[in-house]
Amino acid sequence: MSTETKPGDPCVIVVFGAAGDLTKRKLFPALYNLRGHGLLPKDFAVVGVARKDFSTDAFRAEQSEDIRKFATTKVDDAVWDDFNQRLYYVSGEFGKPETYHRLSGLLAELQNRHATKGNVLFYLSTPPTFFEEIVKQLGAAGLVAEEGGAWRRVIIEKPFGHDLDSAVALNKSIRAVLAETQIYRIDHYLGKETVQNILVLRFANGILEPVWNRRYIDHVQILVAESIGVEGRGNYYDQAGVLRDMIQNHMFQLLSLVAMEPPISFQATDVRNEKVKVLNAIHPMTPEEVLTNSVRGQYGAGPGEDPGYRREKNVSPTSNTETYAALKLFVENWRWADVPFYLRSGKKLAKRSTEIVIQFRRAPLLLFRHTIVDAIEPNRLVLHIQPNEGITMEIEAKIPGPTVQMKSVKLDFSYKDFGESAPSTGYETLLYDCMVGDTALFHRADMVEAAWSIANPILDVWKSLPARDFPNYAGGSWGPASADQLMVKDGRRWINP
């Protein structure tokens, strides 16, 4: 999360899997936006690597069509023409050494042609089955050796492992080739403005930090709701489920930002040290706790022709994969002891929304005992992350009139209040941080393993006790009734958008 505004270092950006959707829909539009903001270095080049039999000219022509479909802003022909002339392509299998020999020759040529100073950023936009092989081949070809002051960095997309054992093995394999400082495990959720603003909101405002603890906060809710289904990703999703796909990575990172102690600086090491402390303070559930503190669900048919999950393409008609999960977790340290953190995420829910709700303890009713007021709503601070980024504070106010009656009112801030910002893909900040060497918003090896340590016991119980009631919520609802009971038994309720 860089605090300076300067162009990234001169470099070549190598995208493995350049023929895929992520490249044309997110990565190239993000790089184009960085160019428009003056944050892409003047001296740069981009190399696409994929198995597709393609020439550089054909690659440039295809990207020229795609950028006009997927750019988040109007494409300036002059800017794009310059960008396009810096695109190159290497065709080859990811597991064959000759692919990397051809890439090595091209990188040497581009270093001279575009004055990139030997800096190379490798982006692994591939299925996770290729991560280990590509890193191994890069190492064997000498492409990740840092010499003469030049840097070599590797961005790895999620999912990083399928469980704790596979994550540990993948970390070990990759770190046999790369130093931890060269590895950028990317999470596009952490590129969103409001996510980054959590640190500023907490630590730059003197009125919040003194009450950001168990004495004043009753509980925290984190919601990531999607209104769509699996959208043709049945092959992947039926092997993953929402706990692996969303909660273990994105949502645990949101939790760590909310709960972390103040770092001594915004330097990457200081921020990540505090985040991993939070994850290590979450005690993994026992099997009994999994049964009482977690809920899983799978969507059935929705209104009209909306199919249930088991009727989606490439999904087993008897699938036991969860498309919804709700958890109650505790951060067992002095700041948060006994404060529950409720996490929920699901597909085919009533509304697309990502929110963090900080619910404060209720004010005592004693003062109002001789009035008609019979209940006081707790104050809430709501961080809206998507689709509309902003912050809401819910407070109690008196309704005008001769008697004391109260109503909850909202103090709203929207990022639109800063003026309309240029639409982004969510990858701009992360790509820029890679180019300047800022790792604060990226997962470190110990963070990945700590997150899996929390998720693994839940997955183990769910695997050993297949759900008998799937599907158990209708598409377009807010999830299964058992998730509501998770809150009701604690005397609380979900705060829906």
Side-chain angles (χ1 to χ4, degrees):
M1 194 171 72
S2 301
T3 56
E4 299 181 35
T5 303
K6 62 176 184 178
D9 296 341
C11 63
V12 179
I13 301 164
V14 178
V15 181
F16 285 91
D21 272 1
L22 180 64
T23 300
K24 65 185 180 183
R25 291 177 182 271
K26 300 293 184 181
L27 300 184
F28 280 9
L31 290 171
Y32 175 81
N33 289 342
L34 288 174
R35 185 69 162 171
H37 292 311
L39 295 176
L40 204 61
K42 177 173 64 73
D43 300 315
F44 80 97
V46 180
V47 178
V49 182
R51 290 171 291 179
K52 189 175 181 179
D53 189 13
F54 235 27
S55 66
T56 288
D57 286 342
F59 183 62
R60 289 175 175 176
E62 183 175 82
Q63 297 309 316
S64 292
E65 289 184 16
D66 288 339
I67 194 68
R68 287 168 173 81
K69 295 178 187 175
F70 301 113
T72 60
T73 58
K74 189 177 187 306
V75 176
D76 182 306
D77 288 338
V79 174
W80 175 252
D81 286 346
D82 176 68
F83 189 103
N84 197 36
Q85 290 305 307
R86 296 170 182 271
L87 296 182
Y88 300 86
Y89 187 81
V90 172
S91 175
E93 296 290 334
F94 298 147
K96 292 187 176 180
E98 50 265 35
T99 302
Y100 300 84
H101 293 323
R102 289 196 295 273
L103 176 60
S104 180
L106 179 59
L107 290 176
E109 181 184 331
L110 297 181
Q111 179 177 338
N112 294 324
R113 184 181 302 174
H114 295 292
T116 57
K117 299 184 177 180
N119 299 325
V120 185
L121 178 61
F122 299 98
Y123 197 118
L124 274 53
S125 177
T126 68
T129 49
F130 290 110
F131 293 166
E132 189 174 351
E133 180 64 29
I134 292 173
V135 171
K136 179 182 175 182
Q137 293 286 353
L138 287 172
L143 290 174
V144 289
E146 297 185 316
E147 301 170 344
W151 52 256
R152 300 288 167 107
R153 297 167 184 155
V154 179
I155 302 177
I156 301 177
E157 273 282 347
K158 79 171 185 78
F160 200 87
H162 189 72
D163 53 21
L164 178 58
D165 289 344
S166 61
V168 169
L170 183 55
N171 274 329
K172 183 178 180 181
S173 174
I174 289 175
R175 292 178 69 177
V177 179
L178 301 167
E180 180 64 36
T181 53
Q182 293 179 278
I183 306 168
Y184 289 68
R185 301 171 187 85
I186 198 165
D187 184 341
H188 70 273
Y189 253 70
L190 300 187
K192 296 180 183 298
E193 284 289 350
T194 310
V195 172
Q196 297 173 66
N197 196 43
I198 293 172
L199 296 182
V200 177
L201 178 75
R202 285 189 57 192
F203 304 129
N205 294 289
I207 64 171
L208 288 179
E209 186 56 25
V211 299
W212 208 266
N213 56 58
R214 65 189 298 269
R215 184 176 179 183
Y216 298 99
I217 292 176
D218 177 77
H219 72 276
V220 176
Q221 297 184 27
I222 303 176
L223 166 70
V224 178
E226 298 180 274
S227 58
I228 59 173
V230 294
E231 297 278 282
R233 297 167 66 231
N235 277 332
Y236 160 73
Y237 201 89
D238 211 36
Q239 300 300 315
V242 73
L243 187 58
R244 287 185 173 94
D245 184 55
M246 189 64 66
I247 296 177
Q248 178 272 333
N249 39 65
H250 301 324
M251 297 189 72
F252 284 176
Q253 288 301 309
L254 295 179
L255 187 158
S256 68
L257 288 169
V258 170
M260 66 188 280
E261 295 297 318
I264 61 172
S265 78
F266 270 165
Q267 294 299 311
T269 298
D270 297 328
V271 172
R272 299 205 291 184
N273 284 347
E274 297 303 334
K275 288 167 66 178
V276 79
K277 286 179 186 177
V278 172
L279 297 177
N280 285 330
I282 298 174
H283 183 71
M285 294 186 199
T286 64
E288 294 76 16
E289 289 170 334
V290 172
L291 298 178
T292 57
N293 292 346
S294 73
V295 171
R296 53 181 158 163
Q298 185 187 92
Y299 66 83
E305 300 294 318
D306 197 15
Y309 176 71
R310 292 176 175 180
R311 291 176 55 199
E312 298 277 14
K313 184 179 178 181
N314 297 321
V315 170
S316 167
T318 58
S319 174
N320 260 299
T321 299
E322 82 284 354
T323 63
Y324 175 99
L327 309 177
K328 180 170 74 170
L329 302 173
F330 290 94
V331 179
E332 297 179 353
N333 60 21
W334 278 80
R335 182 185 290 263
W336 297 111
D338 301 323
V339 176
F341 285 73
Y342 298 98
L343 280 60
R344 59 177 170 149
S345 181
K347 295 278 191 184
K348 280 285 178 77
L349 296 182
K351 183 179 182 181
R352 174 177 175 257
S353 181
T354 300
E355 292 187 348
I356 299 171
V357 178
I358 313 295
Q359 180 156 312
F360 294 90
R361 296 189 182 277
R362 282 184 173 85
L365 193 61
L366 186 65
L367 177 65
F368 302 94
R369 63 187 180 278
H370 298 308
T371 71
I372 63 173
V373 174
D374 60 3
I376 298 176
E377 275 293 301
N379 301 134
R380 298 185 185 97
L381 180 67
V382 184
L383 310 181
H384 309 281
I385 295 172
Q386 67 176 14
N388 300 311
E389 295 180 314
I391 301 167
T392 299
M393 186 70 182
E394 297 180 10
I395 64 170
E396 292 297 287
K398 180 182 177 296
I399 299 173
T403 60
V404 178
Q405 298 183 60
M406 289 187 292
K407 182 179 180 181
S408 293
V409 297
K410 296 181 178 181
L411 309 179
D412 277 323
F413 160 76
S414 170
Y415 269 87
K416 292 180 180 178
D417 296 340
F418 280 137
E420 291 293 334
S421 59
S424 70
T425 67
Y427 280 78
E428 287 83 356
T429 297
L430 300 169
L431 287 169
Y432 174 71
D433 282 356
C434 289
M435 288 186 282
V436 299
D438 188 338
T439 56
L441 295 177
F442 297 85
H443 300 313
R444 202 166 60 190
D446 54 352
M447 295 166 64
V448 171
E449 292 173 15
W452 277 119
S453 295
I454 302 166
N456 243 54
I458 304 169
L459 292 167
D460 288 345
V461 171
W462 287 357
K463 183 178 180 180
S464 65
L465 296 173
R468 297 179 180 178
D469 59 347
F470 281 2
N472 60 355
Y473 71 96
S477 69
W478 277 113
S482 51
D484 294 331
Q485 290 303 309
L486 183 69
M487 299 292 280
V488 170
K489 69 183 181 182
D490 291 343
R492 301 183 175 99
R493 63 182 176 86
W494 294 115
I495 307 301
N496 292 324

